[in-house]
Amino acid sequence: MMDAREALKKQSAERALRYVEEGTVVGVGTGSTVKYFIEGLADFRDRIEGAVSSSEQSTALLKQIGIPVLDLNATGTLPLYVDGADECDPHRRLIKGGGAALTREKIIAACSQRFVCVIDGAKQVDILGGFPLPVEVIPMARSYVARQLVALGGQPVWRDGVTTDNGNAILDVHNLRIVDPVALEKAINQIVGVVTVGLFAARAADVVIVDGKERG
Ligand SMILES: O=C[C@H](O)[C@H](O)[C@H](O)COP(=O)(O)O
């Protein structure tokens, strides 16, 4: 039987299906919450043009249910992107990347008109940073970037054994209390060797669905 938290994730993901418009291409995130959204998309198979996927994992799930996976370079701006998050603050700013898919996710978010974020209530926080902040880095820059992250007040830990879909490494930055997420996103983006920081603050979510309901 599905546990209570999984059931809440599923409710959020299923609620997001009402944002899908016929004849469009849907941006699809990654993770255990989005998995339920992908399952629900099966009913739309014949009514949407296809999906742009943020990971090899989601691509495999989409293909399993017969949804064409399209190249973002061929689709242009997407009307909708649906994705989960690891943390969400009251301003819809997010930490993402627990599943190492942050770079492709951030690209699709940037290319989408509406970003609908689907979470369960346990992921809501007042201040981001309780969840270690993922940073994707070029492998040879890992130690250098780690030193710069220490200088910014964090404690980076290499996610040993994990290689992203882009062939890079992940540092998870602990002990951050992120009072100004936009400024920190900018500062980390400027470190040479950083590919993407999992702070989605400059481009936050537009709609947050928590435990199956839109948050006001
Ligand atoms: O890299 C992974 C993504 O950012 C996910 O959206 C995030 O980790 C949330 O995943 P889940 O729904 O499994 O908690």
Side-chain angles (χ1 to χ4, degrees), residues 55-139:
S55 62
E56 302 302 330
Q57 184 191 315
S58 291
T59 297
L61 293 173
L62 287 160
K63 285 185 172 164
Q64 261 171 36
I65 56 165
I67 298 208
V69 176
L70 308 174
D71 178 353
L72 184 62
N73 292 303
T75 61
T77 302
L78 305 178
L80 174 67
Y81 176 50
V82 176
D83 200 356
D86 301 302
E87 271 187 357
C88 177
D89 81 0
H91 304 282
R92 302 185 305 277
R93 299 176 298 201
L94 314 169
I95 286 184
K96 290 183 50 53
L102 62 164
T103 297
R104 295 187 191 186
E105 291 178 341
K106 211 171 208 185
I107 294 168
I108 302 178
C111 288
S112 298
Q113 283 167 334
R114 182 185 257 170
F115 175 6
V116 175
C117 181
V118 285
I119 56 171
D120 61 274
K123 290 168 168 177
Q124 295 191 102
V125 297
D126 286 331
I127 306 264
L128 298 171
F131 189 94
L133 177 64
V135 180
E136 179 166 350
V137 298
I138 298 288

Side-chain angles (χ1 to χ4, degrees), residues 2-20:
M2 185 181 281
D3 74 25
R5 190 164 182 198
E6 283 302 302
L8 294 171
K9 289 182 187 180
K10 189 166 190 269
Q11 282 171 27
S12 291
E14 287 177 348
R15 176 87 181 181
L17 289 165
R18 65 176 58 194
Y19 291 85
V20 176

Side-chain angles (χ1 to χ4, degrees), residues 135-159 170-174 188 191-194:
V135 180
E136 179 166 350
V137 298
I138 298 288
M140 75 170 284
R142 197 185 76 228
S143 300
Y144 169 74
V145 172
R147 291 194 291 278
Q148 303 307 305
L149 291 168
V150 168
L152 287 174
Q155 200 185 331
V157 175
W158 178 30
R159 208 183 292 178
I170 297 277
L171 294 169
D172 292 308
V173 191
H174 295 247
I188 296 178
I191 302 171
V192 173
V194 167

Side-chain angles (χ1 to χ4, degrees), residues 12-33:
S12 291
E14 287 177 348
R15 176 87 181 181
L17 289 165
R18 65 176 58 194
Y19 291 85
V20 176
E21 289 169 32
E22 299 209 357
T24 60
V25 177
V26 182
V28 175
T30 297
S32 56
T33 313

